[in-house]
Amino acid sequence: MDKALRFRSVFDIIGPVMVGPSSSHTAGAARIGKVVRDIFGEVPEKVDIYLYESFAKTYRGHGTDIALVGGLLGMDPADPRLRDSLHLAYEQGIKVSFVPKSDKVDHPNTARIVLTKGTRTMSVVGVSIGGGNIQINEIDGFKISLSMGTPTFITVHQDVPGMIAQVTSIFSENDVNIATMTVTRAAKGEKAIMIIESDVRRPDLVPQLRALPHMQNVTYFE
Amino acid sequence: MFYSIQDIIEQSANYPSVADLMIATEMATSGKDRETIRAIMAKNLTVMEASVAEGVAGVRSVTGLTGGDAKRLDQYLDAGDSLLGPTVLTAVRNAVAVNEVNAKMGLICATPTAGSAGVLAGTLMAVRDQLRMDREAQVDYLFTAGAFGLVIANKAGIAGAEGGCQAEVGSASAMAAAALVIAKGGTADMAAQAVAITLANMLGLICDPVAGLVEVPCVKRNAMGASQALVSADMALAGIRSVIPPDEVITAMYQVGRQMPQIFRETAEGGLATTPTGQRLQKQIFGDATN
């Protein structure tokens, strides 16, 4: 599999099945929201969404705002509740703000999502590259390249010694090769995340990872 | 994996069809088996059929800017007195139908994008009876289109914000043209020629959505995409070749997209979006632009 290819599956082109009107600005936005929520690992109290270039100019017409929030609430691009997402977020007590920005960024469909719960804050940058396909380019200021279509594990855990070794040993015991790995944390001893891309589809590793001490959440997607 | 149209022509020679090459490639990259992959595509086909039927019955968008045109075309078609033959006009009606459903936030299958979702579904539903395509042949049509679409997406891109409407309706039309050629019994090389002819005719098409909505001109651009696909397919089946080879045309589309000003890349800051009527509609729907 060639990592340089932006589109790898026939279903990147024929699909997704989704609620209109835009694959990049609605379906892609919902997927960004959902992945960001998975990375954060818990329901945020406050979400600030910064929109750039085409996202900033056309987000209302394309429903980008409702799709991002729908994704943050865990909805898929085909979820008929998407159109009510702002209301649903309000009912759940999540404060949401949208800030269109005029700064130049690398890709025209870019959103920076800043999630807050208590004293914990995380900032994630997602881009929608067309046809509902997305990439995650930055977490808490760390440049990463997380593209969908690759088996990916995201852990949220306490930053204590030995976590990385315990996680990677589960991969090695199951004979699963790790393709890429990113580790970052809020501050020493606080919440940390690991993003692991593997060569094979192994959602069955999730329960084993979740069972580790100090592990708070593990998500898997491909 | 294949990276160019030339790769598709060469690699598909080792398989019964381009669709089989696509499925084998998907099996290798995803680890899923053939039945699973075909079943996902069959589900997509079911969504496409439903979206055509829903739109033809008559819908209205969230804003009221679009809707009802597929129904108008359906009645016009029924009257049997049109300039175009029924195949092209049915494809146009279907394409409009899907994008009207998209504009009302209905359920559609993006091919390759939501804004261009009418073209592939529209052409397939227009020719499947005439070409006596059973369900499996219809699923194959989507795999063929997906193969050519993957190359276009990786070499040029399919986002209007990156490359304008040429990247969306242009890509959709090229994919449909290729699938039509193969469905009609043409070769992979003929399909490649249909891709080149289509994209060459779509070069420079800007993305200028009124009020930033996927409605005007998107719905009618799908009508153009569907009809151009049929025209390109027949031209290629007649033995016509593109002077510029398919892979070079795709590279040209990529470069045109790169050179296209941002106002023409899905920002609603140029073209039809900034006409007096376009701006009036923007204000009417969203209030003052400053809030």
Side-chain angles (χ1 to χ4, degrees):
Chain A
M1 206 186 302
D2 190 333
K3 281 292 286 180
L5 283 183
R6 293 203 298 166
F7 302 91
R8 278 174 269 186
S9 165
V10 69
F11 301 113
D12 293 345
I13 306 299
I14 311 297
V17 167
M18 55 167 281
V19 169
S22 168
S23 48
S24 55
H25 289 58
T26 321
R31 283 177 166 173
I32 289 172
K34 195 166 183 213
V35 170
V36 168
R37 162 65 186 276
D38 284 347
I39 296 171
F40 193 61
E42 57 187 330
V43 181
E45 291 165 352
K46 182 158 132 5
V47 182
D48 299 305
I49 300 173
Y50 300 88
L51 301 160
Y52 298 86
E53 296 197 23
S54 178
F55 265 16
K57 308 284 186 195
T58 66
Y59 74 95
R60 287 185 298 184
H62 283 102
T64 309
D65 45 359
I66 60 173
L68 282 165
V69 171
L72 286 164
L73 294 175
M75 296 178 201
D76 288 317
D79 197 316
R81 297 173 301 156
L82 271 181
R83 60 169 75 188
D84 302 319
S85 69
L86 295 179
H87 184 65
L88 292 168
Y90 176 80
E91 278 181 348
Q92 292 183 30
I94 305 170
K95 291 200 185 84
V96 182
S97 76
F98 295 96
V99 186
K101 303 284 281 183
S102 54
D103 315 32
K104 273 298 238 186
V105 286
D106 292 340
H107 192 279
N109 297 332
T110 298
R112 174 185 293 278
I113 301 178
V114 181
L115 309 100
T116 307
K117 173 152 192 198
T119 55
R120 180 172 174 235
T121 293
M122 178 180 274
S123 163
V124 184
V125 175
V127 301
S128 185
I129 61 171
N133 302 287
I134 66 162
Q135 291 171 351
I136 299 296
N137 285 359
E138 195 188 303
I139 296 180
D140 283 344
F142 291 91
K143 292 276 177 208
I144 59 162
S145 176
L146 183 60
S147 49
M148 305 304 117
T150 306
T152 304
F153 298 79
I154 297 180
T155 71
V156 180
H157 57 272
Q158 207 65 33
D159 180 37
V160 294
M163 281 307 288
I164 296 171
Q166 290 182 65
V167 167
T168 53
S169 69
I170 287 177
F171 281 79
S172 104
E173 281 159 17
N174 285 277
D175 201 24
V176 176
N177 187 41
I178 292 175
T180 73
M181 182 164 171
T182 307
V183 185
T184 178
R185 65 179 185 186
K188 189 177 173 186
E190 291 185 9
K191 269 187 186 141
I193 59 170
M194 247 180 274
I195 301 163
I196 298 166
E197 292 184 315
S198 70
D199 286 339
V200 290
R201 304 168 58 229
R202 286 296 296 274
D204 58 297
L205 297 189
V206 171
Q208 296 179 54
L209 292 165
R210 280 204 184 125
L212 290 173
H214 306 293
M215 184 61 76
Q216 287 166 2
N217 192 39
V218 181
T219 40
Y220 172 86
F221 53 85
E222 53 189 76
Chain B
M1 191 66 196
F2 41 82
Y3 304 94
S4 65
I5 301 293
Q6 193 56 37
D7 283 350
I8 293 181
I9 294 171
E10 286 169 13
Q11 293 179 26
S12 66
N14 303 319
Y15 294 88
S17 67
V18 174
D20 284 292
L21 165 66
M22 184 69 254
I23 293 166
T25 306
E26 186 73 19
M27 287 166 69
T29 52
S30 72
K32 295 184 178 116
D33 63 28
R34 177 182 303 274
E35 287 66 36
T36 306
I37 291 166
R38 289 196 74 94
I40 298 170
M41 195 60 97
K43 268 170 111 175
N44 289 353
L45 174 60
T46 304
V47 172
M48 292 179 201
E49 288 172 316
S51 63
V52 168
E54 186 184 354
V56 169
V59 292
R60 189 186 141 91
S61 73
V62 181
T63 62
L65 265 188
T66 55
D69 287 348
K71 192 174 178 180
R72 279 181 198 97
L73 278 167
D74 190 52
Q75 288 161 349
Y76 180 70
L77 194 58
D78 263 357
D81 183 24
S82 57
L83 292 168
L84 288 170
T87 307
V88 184
L89 205 53
T90 302
V92 166
R93 178 201 67 184
N94 296 348
V96 168
V98 173
N99 278 78
E100 288 182 341
V101 170
N102 183 56
K104 74 168 258 287
M105 295 191 77
L107 198 67
I108 57 98
C109 179
T111 55
T113 65
S116 60
V119 176
L120 196 65
T123 51
L124 172 57
M125 310 298 153
V127 301
R128 61 182 180 180
D129 292 341
Q130 185 189 333
L131 298 181
R132 293 192 177 82
M133 295 165 71
D134 62 13
R135 192 105 190 133
E136 292 309 305
Q138 294 174 45
V139 169
D140 280 345
Y141 184 94
L142 302 179
F143 279 113
T144 308
F148 286 95
L150 259 183
V151 168
I152 297 168
N154 281 316
K155 281 178 78 107
I158 50 172
E162 287 176 13
C165 193
Q166 57 168 6
E168 294 206 33
V169 169
S171 300
S173 187
M175 287 157 52
L180 284 164
V181 167
I182 303 274
K184 184 76 174 68
T187 63
D189 180 54
M190 285 173 170
Q193 296 304 314
V195 166
I197 293 166
T198 307
L199 290 181
N201 283 0
M202 297 281 185
L203 276 191
L205 193 63
I206 62 171
C207 177
D208 50 350
V210 168
L213 297 158
V214 191
E215 297 199 50
V216 179
C218 321
V219 172
K220 293 186 181 80
R221 294 254 171 95
N222 275 263
M224 174 191 64
S227 48
Q228 178 65 54
L230 285 155
V231 170
S232 302
D234 263 340
M235 288 173 78
L237 285 162
I240 295 172
R241 300 188 68 79
S242 173
V243 173
I244 310 299
D247 285 307
E248 290 185 40
V249 175
I250 295 172
T251 303
M253 180 173 104
Y254 172 69
Q255 283 163 350
V256 169
R258 299 279 298 182
Q259 289 155 353
M260 197 179 273
Q262 197 188 326
I263 58 167
F264 299 137
R265 287 186 284 111
E266 210 169 346
T267 53
E269 292 179 325
L272 296 172
T274 49
T275 55
T277 302
Q279 290 185 313
R280 178 175 57 76
L281 289 168
Q282 156 110 31
K283 284 205 184 95
Q284 200 176 302
I285 293 162
F286 293 117
D288 210 320
T290 52
N291 73 17

